[in-house]
Amino acid sequence: MKRGRWIYAGVFALFALVLVRSAWMADDAFITLRTIDQFLRGQGLGFNFGERVQAYTHPLWLWVLMPAVAVSREAFYAPLLVSMAVSAGAVWIFSRGLVPPSGRVFSPEMGAFAILCLLGSKAFMDYSTSGLENPLSHLLLALFFATPATPAGTKPRAPKQPLFRGILWASLLAVNRLDAILLVLPSVLVRVRDSARSGRSPLSLVGTVMLAASPLLLWLGFSLVYYGTIVPNTALAKLGAGVPTGVRVPQGLAYLAASFRFDLVTPLLIVGGLVAASIRRRPSQLPVALGVIAYLAYTVWIGGDFMLGRYLAAPVLCSLIALFRADLPRGVYAGLAIAAVAGSLLYPTAPLRTGPDFHNRDLDRIIENHGIADERAFYYRSNGLLSPQRETPFTAGSACRGSDPRLILRRGCSSLGIEGLRSCPGAHLVDPCALSDPLLARLPAAPVGRWRVGHNIRPIPVGYLESLGRGVDAIEDPSIRELYTDVSQDVRG
């Protein structure tokens, strides 16, 4: 046992080392950080001054970052330190308490095998930092699955009971990122069913569920009042672009296929977890597998993402839960861990091979022809923690000059976050991809021939810039002018 503890400690230390060496910041993270800066300046939770627009997708993550940014007054080291701390906590909880074989106490050796599998997953390691919400999603998933389900035939004590804690973690997961609820929804439904069978009264059960789900309900209520919608503006911009299903679904399948080319370990671990669940068919496995399937189906339906692996980081964690709960021989897990690490080393952009000189040496291997990019490989040179070529400073308003225009029309979709963070706090950035623009997000995108997932460019309506610059309604198209009036009441009224 003592040897096992040393092995576990060594593997966890290796995880921490790789986490630091591969740490980076994605451009989209700076969209959230500009919003935080606006809030700290007393200008509300919006990207542009004077507009209540949710340009970020992760409310809970924003509030987790808020104190660190408020204290440090910078937007690079603080988010990365929070990301690494949360990721370390997620892996600690996952590896020590999630997958006890045959109901026994989790062994250090099995914990080490689980961490090595995660180290081999490029998707998981890439988005264990990046400044995006993935670390907090991983932590909440680990906490959710570490909470035991209510045993059938028992009457748990309220509110300190497994059902309450499980739904609470699921609720916080949805506040962190709304679509992540799909990963735990089957498990939540099973736990509610088991609790109902234990003899709990319907009124008590509903009360427990509502109380545990209160963080999500409160956020949705706040969002509806403050922003005028319960979904982020980014969701309207990406999912409401008018791209037909016949285009989105093939793109979503191409997103999954890209991992087989650049990150084979991740899809194989996911498939392994689903296969193990289908063969063993244990109550502790099947809901987890169904959640992964539902989330992957959703990913395909929306067309995937332009960030290679981002939508697979959480599924690989859940799949490993199902895989380790299969209670296979220990040698199988040892072989799987060794294969995961060895397989990842075959790829030049593997986190295990990342060093200070890491950058996109071969662009053709970084960006797929479907517009799917290895964001860490693309941004590490300028945004990597250990990169000597890092672009500094990452502070709000660092590029602000007295002559900067109040209205900035952007010509493309890239670098909205960094440009926004460094611009004057009062500058209004017009984003043609509509991530931060409430009117353009409600308009159809340009023809599909120019479409790239997450980059749905909208034509700028005639008179729109004049309306923003002068504060008058100068839009020529009557229908768009009417929509602009309604939107303005929601975000500026």
Side-chain angles (χ1 to χ4, degrees):
M1 181 63 73
K2 188 174 182 179
R3 186 187 66 176
R5 292 196 186 100
W6 280 109
I7 293 175
Y8 177 83
V11 172
F12 191 86
L14 176 61
F15 167 79
L17 176 64
V18 176
L19 192 66
V20 172
R21 287 175 61 86
S22 61
W24 67 293
M25 288 287 289
D27 177 75
D28 280 23
F30 294 104
I31 298 176
T32 302
L33 293 167
R34 175 177 166 93
T35 302
I36 291 175
D37 179 70
Q38 295 280 33
F39 180 80
L40 294 176
R41 293 176 185 271
Q43 298 173 357
L45 279 173
F47 184 82
N48 285 318
F49 175 76
E51 283 189 346
R52 298 188 304 275
V53 178
Q54 187 184 341
Y56 54 94
T57 60
H58 35 243
L60 187 60
W61 182 238
L62 176 141
W63 291 110
V64 168
L65 292 178
M66 186 81 71
V69 175
V71 171
S72 67
R73 305 305 300 179
E74 57 84 39
F76 185 80
Y77 293 108
L80 278 182
L81 286 174
V82 173
S83 296
M84 289 187 285
V86 173
S87 289
V91 171
W92 177 269
I93 294 172
F94 163 78
S95 61
R96 293 184 66 87
L98 294 184
V99 285
S102 302
R104 295 190 299 271
V105 176
F106 190 81
S107 69
E109 290 90 347
M110 295 292 284
F113 299 153
I115 296 176
L116 288 173
C117 288
L118 292 177
L119 276 171
S121 169
K122 174 176 168 59
F124 183 85
M125 294 304 301
D126 277 359
Y127 291 96
S128 288
T129 52
S130 82
L132 298 173
E133 77 289 339
N134 295 74
L136 187 53
S137 292
H138 300 159
L139 176 61
L140 292 169
L141 285 169
L143 289 168
F144 176 84
F145 288 111
T147 302
T150 303
T154 62
K155 184 175 289 186
R157 295 172 296 173
K160 296 180 179 180
Q161 46 135 322
L163 177 65
F164 177 85
R165 294 198 303 271
I167 295 181
L168 177 62
W169 298 132
S171 174
L172 291 172
L173 178 67
V175 176
N176 191 50
R177 186 178 174 94
L178 194 57
D179 52 16
I181 192 65
L182 293 173
L183 288 164
V184 297
L185 185 58
S187 296
V188 168
L189 295 176
V190 168
R191 294 184 184 197
V192 171
R193 181 204 64 187
D194 291 344
S195 184
R197 290 177 176 177
S198 69
R200 179 180 293 275
S201 68
L203 184 61
S204 174
L205 182 60
V206 171
T208 299
V209 171
M210 295 297 290
L211 182 61
S214 58
L216 176 60
L217 299 176
L218 289 172
W219 172 257
L220 294 179
F222 169 81
S223 182
L224 183 62
V225 173
Y226 189 79
Y227 292 118
T229 175
I230 62 173
V231 298
N233 193 74
T234 51
L236 298 175
K238 295 180 179 181
L239 304 183
V243 179
T245 305
V247 175
R248 292 199 316 270
V249 170
Q251 177 67 26
L253 294 173
Y255 180 74
L256 299 184
S259 286
F260 282 94
R261 181 179 174 188
F262 297 104
D263 180 21
L264 183 60
V265 172
T266 294
L268 289 183
L269 289 175
I270 293 175
V271 171
L274 297 180
V275 170
S278 65
I279 293 175
R280 292 287 188 171
R281 298 185 179 181
R282 295 186 172 184
S284 62
Q285 290 179 293
L286 288 177
V288 182
L290 289 175
V292 172
I293 292 172
Y295 190 80
L296 294 179
Y298 164 79
T299 299
V300 171
W301 180 76
I302 65 173
D305 190 37
F306 68 95
M307 298 186 187
L308 177 70
R310 182 186 179 188
Y311 275 67
L312 299 182
V316 77
L317 183 74
C318 295
S319 298
L320 283 174
I321 292 169
L323 184 59
F324 275 74
R325 285 180 177 175
D327 199 11
L328 301 173
R330 182 167 300 190
V332 173
Y333 293 113
L336 180 66
I338 295 172
V341 172
S344 69
L345 292 175
L346 299 176
Y347 296 91
T349 58
L352 281 165
R353 298 179 59 176
T354 298
D357 61 342
F358 175 71
H359 64 281
N360 50 332
R361 299 178 179 85
D362 186 355
L363 194 60
D364 291 336
R365 291 186 57 84
I366 305 304
I367 301 181
E368 272 271 48
N369 57 1
H370 290 280
I372 303 164
D374 185 334
E375 290 284 288
R376 186 176 68 89
F378 187 82
Y379 278 109
Y380 187 86
R381 192 170 192 177
S382 59
N383 299 0
L385 175 62
L386 302 183
S387 173
Q389 291 85 26
R390 187 174 70 246
E391 298 176 0
T392 55
F394 289 96
T395 53
S398 59
C400 181
R401 301 292 182 269
S403 60
D404 277 4
R406 179 177 177 82
L407 191 66
I408 302 174
L409 174 62
R410 307 187 72 253
R411 298 298 179 184
C413 298
S414 61
S415 301
L416 171 65
I418 293 177
E419 182 180 353
L421 180 75
R422 292 173 174 171
S423 298
C424 296
H428 188 113
L429 281 73
V430 182
D431 171 30
C433 285
L435 297 180
S436 61
D437 194 292
L439 175 65
L440 298 182
R442 290 163 172 81
L443 298 178
V448 174
R450 299 174 55 191
W451 179 70
R452 180 190 178 195
V453 62
H455 296 69
N456 306 296
I457 298 178
R458 271 76 168 182
I460 305 297
V462 177
Y464 182 48
L465 297 180
E466 184 179 0
S467 299
L468 292 174
R470 295 172 51 193
V472 297
D473 193 346
I475 297 176
E476 294 185 0
D477 188 301
S479 61
I480 298 179
R481 185 167 61 247
E482 181 179 358
L483 177 61
Y484 177 69
T485 301
D486 294 339
V487 170
S488 294
Q489 291 177 349
D490 287 338
V491 304
R492 300 185 185 92

PDB file of all heavy atoms in Angstrom, residues 138-152:
ATOM      1  N   HIS A 138     -15.141  20.051 -15.064  1.00  0.00           N
ATOM      2  CA  HIS A 138     -14.525  18.794 -14.636  1.00  0.00           C
ATOM      3  C   HIS A 138     -14.654  18.609 -13.124  1.00  0.00           C
ATOM      4  O   HIS A 138     -14.939  17.501 -12.646  1.00  0.00           O
ATOM      5  CB  HIS A 138     -13.048  18.769 -15.037  1.00  0.00           C
ATOM      6  CG  HIS A 138     -12.821  18.889 -16.508  1.00  0.00           C
ATOM      7  ND1 HIS A 138     -11.620  19.300 -17.051  1.00  0.00           N
ATOM      8  CD2 HIS A 138     -13.660  18.671 -17.565  1.00  0.00           C
ATOM      9  CE1 HIS A 138     -11.723  19.321 -18.369  1.00  0.00           C
ATOM     10  NE2 HIS A 138     -12.939  18.943 -18.694  1.00  0.00           N
ATOM     11  N   LEU A 139     -14.444  19.688 -12.358  1.00  0.00           N
ATOM     12  CA  LEU A 139     -14.556  19.590 -10.907  1.00  0.00           C
ATOM     13  C   LEU A 139     -15.982  19.251 -10.484  1.00  0.00           C
ATOM     14  O   LEU A 139     -16.201  18.386  -9.620  1.00  0.00           O
ATOM     15  CB  LEU A 139     -14.117  20.905 -10.270  1.00  0.00           C
ATOM     16  CG  LEU A 139     -14.259  20.993  -8.744  1.00  0.00           C
ATOM     17  CD1 LEU A 139     -13.402  19.932  -8.057  1.00  0.00           C
ATOM     18  CD2 LEU A 139     -13.895  22.389  -8.252  1.00  0.00           C
ATOM     19  N   LEU A 140     -16.962  19.898 -11.102  1.00  0.00           N
ATOM     20  CA  LEU A 140     -18.356  19.649 -10.735  1.00  0.00           C
ATOM     21  C   LEU A 140     -18.799  18.248 -11.156  1.00  0.00           C
ATOM     22  O   LEU A 140     -19.578  17.601 -10.449  1.00  0.00           O
ATOM     23  CB  LEU A 140     -19.250  20.716 -11.372  1.00  0.00           C
ATOM     24  CG  LEU A 140     -19.052  22.124 -10.795  1.00  0.00           C
ATOM     25  CD1 LEU A 140     -19.768  23.161 -11.650  1.00  0.00           C
ATOM     26  CD2 LEU A 140     -19.539  22.192  -9.354  1.00  0.00           C
ATOM     27  N   LEU A 141     -18.302  17.759 -12.288  1.00  0.00           N
ATOM     28  CA  LEU A 141     -18.585  16.386 -12.687  1.00  0.00           C
ATOM     29  C   LEU A 141     -17.973  15.403 -11.694  1.00  0.00           C
ATOM     30  O   LEU A 141     -18.605  14.400 -11.318  1.00  0.00           O
ATOM     31  CB  LEU A 141     -18.046  16.121 -14.094  1.00  0.00           C
ATOM     32  CG  LEU A 141     -18.839  16.721 -15.251  1.00  0.00           C
ATOM     33  CD1 LEU A 141     -18.043  16.619 -16.546  1.00  0.00           C
ATOM     34  CD2 LEU A 141     -20.189  16.028 -15.409  1.00  0.00           C
ATOM     35  N   ALA A 142     -16.742  15.683 -11.266  1.00  0.00           N
ATOM     36  CA  ALA A 142     -16.096  14.806 -10.290  1.00  0.00           C
ATOM     37  C   ALA A 142     -16.875  14.788  -8.982  1.00  0.00           C
ATOM     38  O   ALA A 142     -17.087  13.726  -8.374  1.00  0.00           O
ATOM     39  CB  ALA A 142     -14.657  15.272 -10.049  1.00  0.00           C
ATOM     40  N   LEU A 143     -17.334  15.950  -8.534  1.00  0.00           N
ATOM     41  CA  LEU A 143     -18.120  16.016  -7.305  1.00  0.00           C
ATOM     42  C   LEU A 143     -19.461  15.311  -7.461  1.00  0.00           C
ATOM     43  O   LEU A 143     -19.929  14.626  -6.547  1.00  0.00           O
ATOM     44  CB  LEU A 143     -18.338  17.482  -6.913  1.00  0.00           C
ATOM     45  CG  LEU A 143     -17.102  18.220  -6.396  1.00  0.00           C
ATOM     46  CD1 LEU A 143     -17.370  19.711  -6.328  1.00  0.00           C
ATOM     47  CD2 LEU A 143     -16.682  17.688  -5.036  1.00  0.00           C
ATOM     48  N   PHE A 144     -20.095  15.466  -8.620  1.00  0.00           N
ATOM     49  CA  PHE A 144     -21.384  14.823  -8.854  1.00  0.00           C
ATOM     50  C   PHE A 144     -21.256  13.305  -8.788  1.00  0.00           C
ATOM     51  O   PHE A 144     -22.025  12.634  -8.094  1.00  0.00           O
ATOM     52  CB  PHE A 144     -21.939  15.241 -10.211  1.00  0.00           C
ATOM     53  CG  PHE A 144     -23.221  14.549 -10.577  1.00  0.00           C
ATOM     54  CD1 PHE A 144     -24.439  15.037 -10.122  1.00  0.00           C
ATOM     55  CD2 PHE A 144     -23.226  13.402 -11.368  1.00  0.00           C
ATOM     56  CE1 PHE A 144     -25.637  14.401 -10.445  1.00  0.00           C
ATOM     57  CE2 PHE A 144     -24.404  12.752 -11.697  1.00  0.00           C
ATOM     58  CZ  PHE A 144     -25.610  13.259 -11.225  1.00  0.00           C
ATOM     59  N   PHE A 145     -20.286  12.753  -9.492  1.00  0.00           N
ATOM     60  CA  PHE A 145     -20.164  11.297  -9.528  1.00  0.00           C
ATOM     61  C   PHE A 145     -19.511  10.732  -8.268  1.00  0.00           C
ATOM     62  O   PHE A 145     -19.590   9.533  -8.020  1.00  0.00           O
ATOM     63  CB  PHE A 145     -19.405  10.862 -10.774  1.00  0.00           C
ATOM     64  CG  PHE A 145     -20.193  11.027 -12.035  1.00  0.00           C
ATOM     65  CD1 PHE A 145     -19.834  11.982 -12.968  1.00  0.00           C
ATOM     66  CD2 PHE A 145     -21.307  10.253 -12.274  1.00  0.00           C
ATOM     67  CE1 PHE A 145     -20.574  12.153 -14.135  1.00  0.00           C
ATOM     68  CE2 PHE A 145     -22.063  10.414 -13.433  1.00  0.00           C
ATOM     69  CZ  PHE A 145     -21.699  11.372 -14.364  1.00  0.00           C
ATOM     70  N   ALA A 146     -18.892  11.592  -7.467  1.00  0.00           N
ATOM     71  CA  ALA A 146     -18.376  11.140  -6.186  1.00  0.00           C
ATOM     72  C   ALA A 146     -19.482  11.037  -5.146  1.00  0.00           C
ATOM     73  O   ALA A 146     -19.315  10.376  -4.121  1.00  0.00           O
ATOM     74  CB  ALA A 146     -17.291  12.092  -5.685  1.00  0.00           C
ATOM     75  N   THR A 147     -20.618  11.708  -5.410  1.00  0.00           N
ATOM     76  CA  THR A 147     -21.759  11.648  -4.497  1.00  0.00           C
ATOM     77  C   THR A 147     -22.532  10.369  -4.749  1.00  0.00           C
ATOM     78  O   THR A 147     -23.034  10.155  -5.855  1.00  0.00           O
ATOM     79  CB  THR A 147     -22.694  12.856  -4.717  1.00  0.00           C
ATOM     80  OG1 THR A 147     -21.946  14.062  -4.527  1.00  0.00           O
ATOM     81  CG2 THR A 147     -23.852  12.818  -3.742  1.00  0.00           C
ATOM     82  N   PRO A 148     -22.655   9.474  -3.787  1.00  0.00           N
ATOM     83  CA  PRO A 148     -23.354   8.204  -4.025  1.00  0.00           C
ATOM     84  C   PRO A 148     -24.834   8.419  -4.266  1.00  0.00           C
ATOM     85  O   PRO A 148     -25.438   9.352  -3.731  1.00  0.00           O
ATOM     86  CB  PRO A 148     -23.105   7.415  -2.735  1.00  0.00           C
ATOM     87  CG  PRO A 148     -22.876   8.461  -1.693  1.00  0.00           C
ATOM     88  CD  PRO A 148     -22.186   9.598  -2.402  1.00  0.00           C
ATOM     89  N   ALA A 149     -25.399   7.565  -5.071  1.00  0.00           N
ATOM     90  CA  ALA A 149     -26.836   7.621  -5.313  1.00  0.00           C
ATOM     91  C   ALA A 149     -27.583   7.129  -4.073  1.00  0.00           C
ATOM     92  O   ALA A 149     -27.039   6.441  -3.213  1.00  0.00           O
ATOM     93  CB  ALA A 149     -27.202   6.768  -6.528  1.00  0.00           C
ATOM     94  N   THR A 150     -28.861   7.495  -4.001  1.00  0.00           N
ATOM     95  CA  THR A 150     -29.682   7.064  -2.876  1.00  0.00           C
ATOM     96  C   THR A 150     -29.977   5.579  -2.978  1.00  0.00           C
ATOM     97  O   THR A 150     -30.544   5.127  -3.970  1.00  0.00           O
ATOM     98  CB  THR A 150     -31.005   7.837  -2.861  1.00  0.00           C
ATOM     99  OG1 THR A 150     -30.715   9.235  -2.815  1.00  0.00           O
ATOM    100  CG2 THR A 150     -31.832   7.451  -1.650  1.00  0.00           C
ATOM    101  N   PRO A 151     -29.599   4.763  -2.020  1.00  0.00           N
ATOM    102  CA  PRO A 151     -29.909   3.334  -2.090  1.00  0.00           C
ATOM    103  C   PRO A 151     -31.416   3.108  -2.071  1.00  0.00           C
ATOM    104  O   PRO A 151     -32.144   3.739  -1.313  1.00  0.00           O
ATOM    105  CB  PRO A 151     -29.242   2.766  -0.826  1.00  0.00           C
ATOM    106  CG  PRO A 151     -28.259   3.802  -0.386  1.00  0.00           C
ATOM    107  CD  PRO A 151     -28.840   5.106  -0.812  1.00  0.00           C
ATOM    108  N   ALA A 152     -31.874   2.218  -2.920  1.00  0.00           N
ATOM    109  CA  ALA A 152     -33.302   1.910  -2.972  1.00  0.00           C
ATOM    110  C   ALA A 152     -33.765   1.322  -1.650  1.00  0.00           C
ATOM    111  O   ALA A 152     -33.075   0.526  -1.015  1.00  0.00           O
ATOM    112  CB  ALA A 152     -33.587   0.939  -4.118  1.00  0.00           C
TER     113      ALA A 152
END
